[in-house]
Amino acid sequence: MSERVPLAAVVALGVTQIIGYGTLYYSFSILAPDMAAYFAWSIEWVFGALSAALLISGLTAPWLGVLFDKIGAGRMMTIGSAVAAIALVACSYAPNKAAFMAALIAVEVAANLVQYGAAFALLVQLRPQVASRSITYLTLIAGFASTMFWPITSALHAHLTWQNVYLVFAVINLLLCMPIHAWLSHAASARRVASSAAYPRIEGVLAPARRRLGFGLMVMGFSLMSLVSSAVLVHMVPLLSGLGLGTTAALTGTLFGPSQVGSRLINMVFGKTLPALHLAVIAAILIPGGTLILLLTAPSVPGAMVFAVVFGMGNGLLSIVTGTLPLQLFGSDGYGKLQGKMMAARLILSALAPFVLALGMANMGITPSLSITAALGGLAVVAFIFIAVLR
């Protein structure tokens, strides 16, 4: 049987990923100032609440990953769309800070159910033989989430309160994403019932005796890359301002998004035969490499532009390899559980990184803090090279 990417499923998932990331993550930064004013919080406390919600949701990720395997990623994504809608409504009607915090935790748990980790597991369950290509195509489509939902959220917020914007987003998750996920769940269930010979399982390249160490190294590599990415992106404006590049913040932002999508497009066209481990090493070099370029060239505007392109390309590839590398190393069996464990480590570090970098910048200064951050990112390269040695 010819191995074809399930394009209809990938496109449908691409739509729900754009909505999932747009409504549950990217919209927050635009609505946060009004949330702070409504609850009489400082803006720092509002983002602190988001970090706490991300941290707590990270602790639930391993359990959710087991459920992806046990009852199917499609079913979990269908449930996740309903939970996302309910959580957004709960946020919009929260009468006080405690209720808002609880609802925000529910939003981030729902995000774990409908975003990349779940979507990658669904693609593996649909057609494991071509899952790596399917994941690459999906990340290319979903890369437009911020490009689409920052202006959409801003346009809605110009006419609606933040509560009403969240109500609109709840309706979108319920009426658009949930039916798509239900359809994909049915398709995945039908595939399970079909002959197992139709789409054979994928065998991992790591020997069973080396998988525990290999998994630890992989999680360490991805977590360190996520730490650098999260810390730098959250503090992009103060970092650039502190390095004498405050006027380039908007330009850097416009280059970052297209660079993410561009790296995924280049990989899709020219990197079809490139092993996932090699791609992981490239991504692990680009993310701290971009940070070093910023440090070494500041306050040069061309240097800041190169930083945005290199850093953006590294982040674009990171999204791909978090889906494809576990499949290459460990195979398709238990893939959802692996994604759950990885999501936990990445979410916890991503939640803590902005806070830790803020402390570092306040106490040590920007240059030493950013240097340490880049050095930590460089350790990801070492982790992936050790995985190559294990093979």
Side-chain angles (χ1 to χ4, degrees), residues 35-63:
M35 292 173 178
Y38 182 80
F39 290 110
W41 258 346
S42 68
I43 191 69
E44 290 82 6
W45 273 104
V46 172
F47 279 102
L50 177 65
S51 292
L54 286 168
L55 189 64
I56 294 169
S57 72
L59 299 176
T60 70
W63 173 66

mmCIF file of all heavy atoms in Angstrom, residues 35-63:
data_model
loop_
_atom_site.group_PDB
_atom_site.id
_atom_site.type_symbol
_atom_site.label_atom_id
_atom_site.label_comp_id
_atom_site.label_asym_id
_atom_site.label_seq_id
_atom_site.Cartn_x
_atom_site.Cartn_y
_atom_site.Cartn_z
ATOM 1 N N MET A 35 -6.957 42.541 31.788
ATOM 2 C CA MET A 35 -7.172 41.593 32.881
ATOM 3 C C MET A 35 -6.592 42.158 34.178
ATOM 4 O O MET A 35 -7.213 42.083 35.250
ATOM 5 C CB MET A 35 -6.502 40.254 32.567
ATOM 6 C CG MET A 35 -7.122 39.477 31.423
ATOM 7 S SD MET A 35 -6.106 38.013 31.023
ATOM 8 C CE MET A 35 -7.076 37.263 29.715
ATOM 9 N N ALA A 36 -5.387 42.717 34.079
ATOM 10 C CA ALA A 36 -4.731 43.290 35.252
ATOM 11 C C ALA A 36 -5.569 44.431 35.835
ATOM 12 O O ALA A 36 -5.760 44.519 37.055
ATOM 13 C CB ALA A 36 -3.333 43.781 34.880
ATOM 14 N N ALA A 37 -6.073 45.300 34.964
ATOM 15 C CA ALA A 37 -6.889 46.422 35.428
ATOM 16 C C ALA A 37 -8.187 45.931 36.074
ATOM 17 O O ALA A 37 -8.615 46.456 37.108
ATOM 18 C CB ALA A 37 -7.204 47.348 34.255
ATOM 19 N N TYR A 38 -8.797 44.912 35.494
ATOM 20 C CA TYR A 38 -10.083 44.405 35.996
ATOM 21 C C TYR A 38 -9.936 43.813 37.398
ATOM 22 O O TYR A 38 -10.800 44.024 38.268
ATOM 23 C CB TYR A 38 -10.627 43.342 35.035
ATOM 24 C CG TYR A 38 -11.969 42.782 35.429
ATOM 25 C CD1 TYR A 38 -13.149 43.470 35.152
ATOM 26 C CD2 TYR A 38 -12.057 41.558 36.090
ATOM 27 C CE1 TYR A 38 -14.384 42.955 35.523
ATOM 28 C CE2 TYR A 38 -13.288 41.032 36.463
ATOM 29 C CZ TYR A 38 -14.445 41.732 36.180
ATOM 30 O OH TYR A 38 -15.663 41.225 36.549
ATOM 31 N N PHE A 39 -8.856 43.065 37.630
ATOM 32 C CA PHE A 39 -8.660 42.413 38.924
ATOM 33 C C PHE A 39 -7.778 43.232 39.874
ATOM 34 O O PHE A 39 -7.422 42.757 40.951
ATOM 35 C CB PHE A 39 -8.052 41.023 38.729
ATOM 36 C CG PHE A 39 -8.988 40.027 38.105
ATOM 37 C CD1 PHE A 39 -8.782 39.574 36.807
ATOM 38 C CD2 PHE A 39 -10.079 39.548 38.807
ATOM 39 C CE1 PHE A 39 -9.644 38.658 36.226
ATOM 40 C CE2 PHE A 39 -10.953 38.628 38.240
ATOM 41 C CZ PHE A 39 -10.737 38.185 36.939
ATOM 42 N N ALA A 40 -7.411 44.454 39.462
ATOM 43 C CA ALA A 40 -6.553 45.332 40.270
ATOM 44 C C ALA A 40 -5.226 44.643 40.599
ATOM 45 O O ALA A 40 -4.731 44.686 41.729
ATOM 46 C CB ALA A 40 -7.270 45.761 41.555
ATOM 47 N N TRP A 41 -4.674 43.983 39.577
ATOM 48 C CA TRP A 41 -3.372 43.339 39.668
ATOM 49 C C TRP A 41 -2.354 44.166 38.893
ATOM 50 O O TRP A 41 -2.709 44.905 37.971
ATOM 51 C CB TRP A 41 -3.426 41.954 39.017
ATOM 52 C CG TRP A 41 -3.518 40.798 39.942
ATOM 53 C CD1 TRP A 41 -3.311 40.782 41.281
ATOM 54 C CD2 TRP A 41 -3.855 39.453 39.569
ATOM 55 N NE1 TRP A 41 -3.494 39.510 41.781
ATOM 56 C CE2 TRP A 41 -3.826 38.684 40.757
ATOM 57 C CE3 TRP A 41 -4.158 38.824 38.372
ATOM 58 C CZ2 TRP A 41 -4.090 37.316 40.767
ATOM 59 C CZ3 TRP A 41 -4.426 37.465 38.375
ATOM 60 C CH2 TRP A 41 -4.398 36.718 39.565
ATOM 61 N N SER A 42 -1.078 43.986 39.209
ATOM 62 C CA SER A 42 -0.045 44.522 38.329
ATOM 63 C C SER A 42 0.087 43.583 37.133
ATOM 64 O O SER A 42 -0.280 42.403 37.213
ATOM 65 C CB SER A 42 1.291 44.621 39.063
ATOM 66 O OG SER A 42 1.793 43.330 39.340
ATOM 67 N N ILE A 43 0.626 44.084 36.031
ATOM 68 C CA ILE A 43 0.786 43.255 34.841
ATOM 69 C C ILE A 43 1.738 42.092 35.126
ATOM 70 O O ILE A 43 1.577 40.989 34.590
ATOM 71 C CB ILE A 43 1.282 44.104 33.643
ATOM 72 C CG1 ILE A 43 1.187 43.324 32.333
ATOM 73 C CG2 ILE A 43 2.679 44.617 33.874
ATOM 74 C CD1 ILE A 43 -0.203 43.064 31.863
ATOM 75 N N GLU A 44 2.717 42.331 36.030
ATOM 76 C CA GLU A 44 3.648 41.259 36.380
ATOM 77 C C GLU A 44 2.924 40.104 37.064
ATOM 78 O O GLU A 44 3.221 38.930 36.818
ATOM 79 C CB GLU A 44 4.758 41.796 37.303
ATOM 80 C CG GLU A 44 5.741 42.731 36.630
ATOM 81 C CD GLU A 44 5.211 44.164 36.553
ATOM 82 O OE1 GLU A 44 4.125 44.422 37.124
ATOM 83 O OE2 GLU A 44 5.862 45.008 35.924
ATOM 84 N N TRP A 45 1.944 40.428 37.911
ATOM 85 C CA TRP A 45 1.193 39.390 38.607
ATOM 86 C C TRP A 45 0.325 38.591 37.640
ATOM 87 O O TRP A 45 0.142 37.382 37.812
ATOM 88 C CB TRP A 45 0.338 40.004 39.715
ATOM 89 C CG TRP A 45 1.082 40.146 41.003
ATOM 90 C CD1 TRP A 45 1.597 41.287 41.533
ATOM 91 C CD2 TRP A 45 1.419 39.099 41.914
ATOM 92 N NE1 TRP A 45 2.235 41.031 42.709
ATOM 93 C CE2 TRP A 45 2.148 39.693 42.975
ATOM 94 C CE3 TRP A 45 1.196 37.719 41.936
ATOM 95 C CZ2 TRP A 45 2.638 38.947 44.047
ATOM 96 C CZ3 TRP A 45 1.679 36.981 43.006
ATOM 97 C CH2 TRP A 45 2.389 37.588 44.044
ATOM 98 N N VAL A 46 -0.212 39.258 36.617
ATOM 99 C CA VAL A 46 -1.031 38.544 35.633
ATOM 100 C C VAL A 46 -0.177 37.528 34.875
ATOM 101 O O VAL A 46 -0.579 36.369 34.683
ATOM 102 C CB VAL A 46 -1.710 39.525 34.652
ATOM 103 C CG1 VAL A 46 -2.394 38.773 33.516
ATOM 104 C CG2 VAL A 46 -2.735 40.367 35.394
ATOM 105 N N PHE A 47 1.012 37.953 34.438
ATOM 106 C CA PHE A 47 1.894 37.014 33.748
ATOM 107 C C PHE A 47 2.433 35.958 34.714
ATOM 108 O O PHE A 47 2.720 34.828 34.317
ATOM 109 C CB PHE A 47 3.030 37.762 33.054
ATOM 110 C CG PHE A 47 2.633 38.346 31.731
ATOM 111 C CD1 PHE A 47 2.352 39.690 31.610
ATOM 112 C CD2 PHE A 47 2.514 37.547 30.610
ATOM 113 C CE1 PHE A 47 1.964 40.229 30.395
ATOM 114 C CE2 PHE A 47 2.133 38.069 29.386
ATOM 115 C CZ PHE A 47 1.855 39.414 29.278
ATOM 116 N N GLY A 48 2.573 36.332 35.992
ATOM 117 C CA GLY A 48 2.944 35.343 36.992
ATOM 118 C C GLY A 48 1.872 34.274 37.140
ATOM 119 O O GLY A 48 2.183 33.089 37.313
ATOM 120 N N ALA A 49 0.608 34.692 37.039
ATOM 121 C CA ALA A 49 -0.501 33.732 37.091
ATOM 122 C C ALA A 49 -0.439 32.780 35.898
ATOM 123 O O ALA A 49 -0.677 31.568 36.040
ATOM 124 C CB ALA A 49 -1.836 34.477 37.100
ATOM 125 N N LEU A 50 -0.095 33.317 34.721
ATOM 126 C CA LEU A 50 0.052 32.456 33.535
ATOM 127 C C LEU A 50 1.185 31.460 33.730
ATOM 128 O O LEU A 50 1.045 30.270 33.401
ATOM 129 C CB LEU A 50 0.299 33.309 32.286
ATOM 130 C CG LEU A 50 0.544 32.524 30.991
ATOM 131 C CD1 LEU A 50 -0.711 31.730 30.600
ATOM 132 C CD2 LEU A 50 0.949 33.471 29.853
ATOM 133 N N SER A 51 2.310 31.928 34.274
ATOM 134 C CA SER A 51 3.448 31.023 34.514
ATOM 135 C C SER A 51 3.060 29.918 35.484
ATOM 136 O O SER A 51 3.410 28.747 35.289
ATOM 137 C CB SER A 51 4.643 31.808 35.060
ATOM 138 O OG SER A 51 5.167 32.677 34.078
ATOM 139 N N ALA A 52 2.325 30.284 36.544
ATOM 140 C CA ALA A 52 1.892 29.277 37.514
ATOM 141 C C ALA A 52 0.947 28.268 36.860
ATOM 142 O O ALA A 52 1.035 27.063 37.124
ATOM 143 C CB ALA A 52 1.196 29.964 38.693
ATOM 144 N N ALA A 53 0.054 28.761 36.002
ATOM 145 C CA ALA A 53 -0.882 27.867 35.308
ATOM 146 C C ALA A 53 -0.130 26.919 34.376
ATOM 147 O O ALA A 53 -0.450 25.726 34.294
ATOM 148 C CB ALA A 53 -1.906 28.687 34.524
ATOM 149 N N LEU A 54 0.883 27.434 33.669
ATOM 150 C CA LEU A 54 1.705 26.599 32.793
ATOM 151 C C LEU A 54 2.456 25.544 33.603
ATOM 152 O O LEU A 54 2.572 24.383 33.193
ATOM 153 C CB LEU A 54 2.697 27.461 32.011
ATOM 154 C CG LEU A 54 2.129 28.298 30.867
ATOM 155 C CD1 LEU A 54 3.167 29.317 30.384
ATOM 156 C CD2 LEU A 54 1.701 27.405 29.705
ATOM 157 N N LEU A 55 2.956 25.960 34.769
ATOM 158 C CA LEU A 55 3.701 25.037 35.632
ATOM 159 C C LEU A 55 2.807 23.894 36.108
ATOM 160 O O LEU A 55 3.167 22.720 36.025
ATOM 161 C CB LEU A 55 4.255 25.816 36.823
ATOM 162 C CG LEU A 55 5.241 25.097 37.748
ATOM 163 C CD1 LEU A 55 6.509 24.744 37.008
ATOM 164 C CD2 LEU A 55 5.550 25.963 38.951
ATOM 165 N N ILE A 56 1.616 24.236 36.579
ATOM 166 C CA ILE A 56 0.688 23.215 37.078
ATOM 167 C C ILE A 56 0.210 22.312 35.940
ATOM 168 O O ILE A 56 0.112 21.090 36.095
ATOM 169 C CB ILE A 56 -0.501 23.886 37.796
ATOM 170 C CG1 ILE A 56 -0.010 24.588 39.060
ATOM 171 C CG2 ILE A 56 -1.577 22.849 38.146
ATOM 172 C CD1 ILE A 56 -1.031 25.494 39.709
ATOM 173 N N SER A 57 -0.063 22.909 34.783
ATOM 174 C CA SER A 57 -0.509 22.098 33.644
ATOM 175 C C SER A 57 0.590 21.141 33.193
ATOM 176 O O SER A 57 0.319 20.038 32.717
ATOM 177 C CB SER A 57 -0.948 22.984 32.478
ATOM 178 O OG SER A 57 0.162 23.606 31.845
ATOM 179 N N GLY A 58 1.849 21.560 33.360
ATOM 180 C CA GLY A 58 2.966 20.687 33.014
ATOM 181 C C GLY A 58 2.989 19.428 33.858
ATOM 182 O O GLY A 58 3.373 18.350 33.382
ATOM 183 N N LEU A 59 2.554 19.539 35.110
ATOM 184 C CA LEU A 59 2.525 18.376 35.994
ATOM 185 C C LEU A 59 1.471 17.360 35.563
ATOM 186 O O LEU A 59 1.580 16.176 35.876
ATOM 187 C CB LEU A 59 2.254 18.827 37.437
ATOM 188 C CG LEU A 59 3.295 19.784 38.043
ATOM 189 C CD1 LEU A 59 2.870 20.228 39.436
ATOM 190 C CD2 LEU A 59 4.671 19.117 38.104
ATOM 191 N N THR A 60 0.441 17.812 34.838
ATOM 192 C CA THR A 60 -0.607 16.888 34.375
ATOM 193 C C THR A 60 -0.248 16.214 33.057
ATOM 194 O O THR A 60 -0.896 15.241 32.664
ATOM 195 C CB THR A 60 -1.942 17.638 34.185
ATOM 196 O OG1 THR A 60 -1.851 18.527 33.062
ATOM 197 C CG2 THR A 60 -2.323 18.425 35.431
ATOM 198 N N ALA A 61 0.758 16.725 32.359
ATOM 199 C CA ALA A 61 1.058 16.258 31.001
ATOM 200 C C ALA A 61 1.392 14.768 30.908
ATOM 201 O O ALA A 61 0.924 14.094 29.979
ATOM 202 C CB ALA A 61 2.177 17.102 30.390
ATOM 203 N N PRO A 62 2.211 14.192 31.810
ATOM 204 C CA PRO A 62 2.501 12.751 31.679
ATOM 205 C C PRO A 62 1.238 11.887 31.760
ATOM 206 O O PRO A 62 1.105 10.907 31.028
ATOM 207 C CB PRO A 62 3.437 12.474 32.865
ATOM 208 C CG PRO A 62 4.060 13.792 33.173
ATOM 209 C CD PRO A 62 2.996 14.800 32.898
ATOM 210 N N TRP A 63 0.328 12.243 32.655
ATOM 211 C CA TRP A 63 -0.927 11.501 32.782
ATOM 212 C C TRP A 63 -1.762 11.625 31.511
ATOM 213 O O TRP A 63 -2.329 10.656 31.023
ATOM 214 C CB TRP A 63 -1.694 12.051 33.989
ATOM 215 C CG TRP A 63 -3.067 11.497 34.147
ATOM 216 C CD1 TRP A 63 -3.410 10.214 34.432
ATOM 217 C CD2 TRP A 63 -4.297 12.215 34.012
ATOM 218 N NE1 TRP A 63 -4.779 10.085 34.492
ATOM 219 C CE2 TRP A 63 -5.356 11.293 34.241
ATOM 220 C CE3 TRP A 63 -4.618 13.548 33.736
ATOM 221 C CZ2 TRP A 63 -6.696 11.667 34.191
ATOM 222 C CZ3 TRP A 63 -5.958 13.926 33.690
ATOM 223 C CH2 TRP A 63 -6.971 12.992 33.912
#
